[in-house]
Amino acid sequence: MQLNNFSNRANGLDTTQRGDLSLRAKLSDRNARLLIPWTVVTAVLYLLWAPADFEDFPEFAEKFLLYRAAAIFVASALTLFALRARRPFWKNAAAWVWFPTWAIATAAMIPDTPEYVLSHVIVLFILEWASASFILWRWWWGLTNALAILAVGEIAIAQIEIAGYEADAAHGYLLSGVVLNVVLAVTRYNAAKREHDARHALEQEKLVTESLREAERQRATDLADALRQAQEVDELKSKFFANVSHELRTPLTLILSPVDQLLDKVVRRNATRLLRMIDDLLDLARLEAGGLRLRVMQVDMENLAQRVAGNAAPAAKGKDIEMVFSSGGEPPEMFGDPHRIEIILTNLIGNAMKFTPREGRIEVGVFHNSAGTSVEVTDTGPGIAREEHERIFERFHQTETSERRQQGGVGIGLALARELAQLHGGSLTVDSKLGGGSTFTLFLKSGKDHFHTEMIERRQVQMDPHPG
């Protein structure tokens, strides 16, 4: 409980400090912008007094004009600096120097015109009052600013002989300007701070309320998504186990049927089919556990693809399917795991064989370029709806079509093929539409720099050809 209270106090202190910093930055920007009209107005007034100097003090008029011009130039430079400065301190510092600049120009005229000392002191008093009336900053900024103007005025007055009422009035104006400055600075800054804190608290309350609403909406969405995903996974598992039971039972039943009803060829075909499914399941399990490694060596992609297509040619001929092989381009230096690549190609060509009708056509093309090699398997089957293009690569997913159900399968071939392609740093994509056939494209990069050390099998293991 004590730790929580301490944490709450610490968080509250941080929030207060952030609010103060935000207020100071906001006020410093406001102060910098206010210097623009003040510079223009003060410069105009200073120049309007210049003709009076030539009339009343012709011997000092040119010098006084120089004072006025210098003050205008410095004040303008300070205004530009305040507008361009990024930190609140430098903006306030420029505004702080702005007021003593005019005070110095005014006080410099006092020694030459002692008879007008009170007129000049009133100008200094106005500067002390203005720095707290129009500029919003903390009290110590205002106090030091007023004291600086007071010091400028006292130094100028000390250079002339002044006594009696004029001396008392001059010092009184300057001291009262300091007091007035501090009172105004404290009052106006505290009022601005209260207003800012109230606005900040209201904004924070709105943010918290909106955050709570957004969190509640997100929580409801997440719960709905989680429920939907759980239902999909449950449905996929049910379909998977039903399909696996059927797919594993059928070849085993055929193998165990009476001998007089079986030919050696049928036994071998179904046993090979069963072995291939088991191998694919084992590879999926290894991929799931992150334990599948590649035996990377140099690969002749064209020869490998042609061999897999050749192995499928007799089955294609038996279904009156035309099997066409083509190639193009200059082969780059290719590396990979021949056994795993053969699994990918066997699954792609086997998938095309399933869905290509009699007297259809399957094209296997190998195309090379400097970036790598692409193997395209195109069939004239029923095609795949666009919304199913990515889902057919999900584990255990099957499209809801009569052809798929008639052909069987458990929905792991394409998922395994894509994951093996990605393990090689490559890709497996599909281009298809209903009624227009399908084209599956396997792309593998050239060279071997893209193979990470952790995915390479270092042991010498014997890999049998994939049971196609």
Side-chain angles (χ1 to χ4, degrees):
M1 181 66 70
Q2 290 178 348
L3 289 176
N4 290 336
N5 290 337
F6 177 78
S7 177
N8 292 335
R9 288 196 300 270
N11 291 335
L13 180 60
D14 291 342
T15 303
T16 302
Q17 290 176 343
R18 288 195 296 270
D20 287 344
L21 291 175
S22 174
L23 174 62
R24 294 173 195 173
K26 179 180 178 180
L27 294 182
S28 65
D29 289 338
R30 173 190 176 279
N31 295 339
R33 291 192 300 270
L34 273 178
L35 290 181
I36 299 175
W38 270 93
T39 300
V40 173
V41 171
T42 308
V44 170
L45 291 176
Y46 250 44
L47 292 177
L48 288 177
W49 290 334
D53 293 337
F54 281 94
E55 182 178 349
D56 298 332
F57 317 108
E59 67 275 21
F60 305 117
E62 293 183 359
K63 183 169 64 172
F64 289 175
L65 182 61
L66 181 62
Y67 293 161
R68 299 179 191 279
I72 294 172
F73 175 79
V74 174
S76 301
L78 288 170
T79 302
L80 181 61
F81 176 82
L83 292 172
R84 297 178 63 88
R86 295 185 178 181
R87 296 184 59 184
F89 174 83
W90 294 113
K91 290 178 180 290
N92 284 339
W96 190 97
V97 178
W98 189 92
F99 289 94
T101 297
W102 299 105
I104 292 172
T106 302
M109 304 176 191
I110 291 177
D112 294 323
T113 57
E115 62 275 19
Y116 289 96
V117 63
L118 288 183
S119 299
H120 297 306
V121 167
I122 290 175
V123 174
L124 299 180
F125 171 79
I126 292 174
L127 289 172
E128 291 176 330
W129 166 78
S131 72
S133 298
F134 298 95
I135 301 297
L136 275 169
W137 48 23
R138 304 193 72 180
W139 66 268
W140 52 268
W141 281 101
L143 174 61
T144 54
N145 190 259
L147 289 176
I149 297 174
L150 171 66
V152 169
E154 292 293 346
I155 291 173
I157 293 173
Q159 298 180 37
I160 62 175
E161 293 183 1
I162 181 172
Y165 169 77
E166 287 190 347
D168 295 338
H171 299 311
Y173 276 124
L174 293 176
L175 287 174
S176 60
V178 173
V179 175
L180 180 61
N181 183 290
V182 174
V183 172
L184 287 174
V186 171
T187 303
R188 300 186 69 240
Y189 181 83
N190 288 341
K193 187 176 186 304
R194 285 193 296 270
E195 180 183 358
H196 178 269
D197 291 344
R199 291 179 181 273
H200 181 71
L202 182 60
E203 291 174 359
Q204 291 299 313
E205 184 177 352
K206 290 181 179 179
L207 288 175
V208 170
T209 303
E210 185 60 31
S211 298
L212 290 174
R213 291 176 181 173
E214 182 62 29
E216 190 63 27
R217 288 194 294 266
Q218 186 62 42
R219 183 170 176 270
T221 302
D222 292 343
L223 287 175
D225 291 343
L227 179 61
R228 178 179 54 79
Q229 292 175 2
Q231 292 173 341
E232 289 182 356
V233 170
D234 186 64
E235 183 180 351
L236 287 173
K237 285 182 178 178
S238 300
K239 291 181 180 179
F240 169 68
F241 285 114
N243 290 333
V244 166
S245 299
H246 174 74
E247 294 297 330
L248 294 181
R249 184 174 63 250
T250 300
L252 286 175
T253 301
L254 291 173
I255 293 173
L256 297 175
S257 295
V259 176
D260 57 353
Q261 296 182 12
L262 292 173
L263 297 174
D264 290 344
K265 180 173 67 174
V266 177
V267 175
R268 184 177 298 107
R269 182 175 69 248
N270 285 280
T272 300
R273 178 183 173 193
L274 178 60
L275 180 59
R276 178 172 62 82
M277 290 171 56
I278 293 173
D279 278 353
D280 289 349
L281 284 170
L282 289 175
D283 278 346
L284 271 180
R286 293 192 189 101
L287 280 168
E288 185 73 25
L292 188 62
R293 300 290 185 269
L294 301 177
R295 296 184 67 228
V296 179
M297 61 184 69
Q298 193 161 3
V299 180
D300 186 339
M301 288 293 295
E302 188 170 330
N303 181 60
L304 182 57
Q306 192 169 15
R307 175 158 55 84
V308 175
N311 292 339
K317 185 176 181 181
K319 290 183 63 176
D320 294 330
I321 296 174
E322 182 183 5
M323 179 74 73
V324 180
F325 181 86
S326 62
S327 63
E330 184 67 25
E333 191 175 32
M334 299 293 298
F335 290 85
D337 185 331
H339 177 69
R340 307 299 178 190
I341 297 175
E342 183 179 355
I343 291 176
I344 300 173
L345 297 178
T346 300
N347 275 312
L348 294 181
I349 295 176
N351 191 69
M353 290 281 291
K354 281 184 182 181
F355 298 103
T356 301
R358 288 188 174 276
E359 299 183 357
R361 177 185 176 92
I362 297 176
E363 298 180 6
V364 180
V366 182
F367 306 100
H368 309 286
N369 57 47
S370 60
T373 296
S374 297
V375 181
E376 297 181 358
V377 179
T378 303
D379 62 61
T380 56
I384 306 169
R386 182 173 298 277
E387 60 269 17
E388 293 284 340
H389 282 190
E390 285 302 316
R391 299 201 68 190
I392 61 173
F393 294 107
E394 297 178 2
R395 297 181 181 184
F396 316 129
H397 176 76
Q398 297 183 38
T399 56
E400 299 295 334
T401 61
S402 58
E403 291 83 355
R404 168 65 72 179
R405 296 305 176 197
Q406 291 172 3
Q407 296 298 335
V410 295
I412 62 175
L414 290 178
L416 175 64
R418 170 171 273 191
E419 293 193 36
L420 289 176
Q422 292 174 345
L423 195 62
H424 279 77
S427 62
L428 178 59
T429 56
V430 63
D431 182 18
S432 179
K433 62 180 180 179
L434 286 177
S438 303
T439 298
F440 287 84
T441 302
L442 167 68
F443 173 75
L444 297 178
K445 299 177 183 178
S446 60
K448 55 183 178 180
D449 293 339
H450 53 279
F451 289 103
H452 301 295
T453 305
E454 61 270 13
M455 68 173 60
I456 298 177
E457 176 64 67
R458 297 187 177 277
R459 298 174 298 171
Q460 295 298 320
V461 293
Q462 179 64 34
M463 301 295 289
D464 296 327
H466 188 255

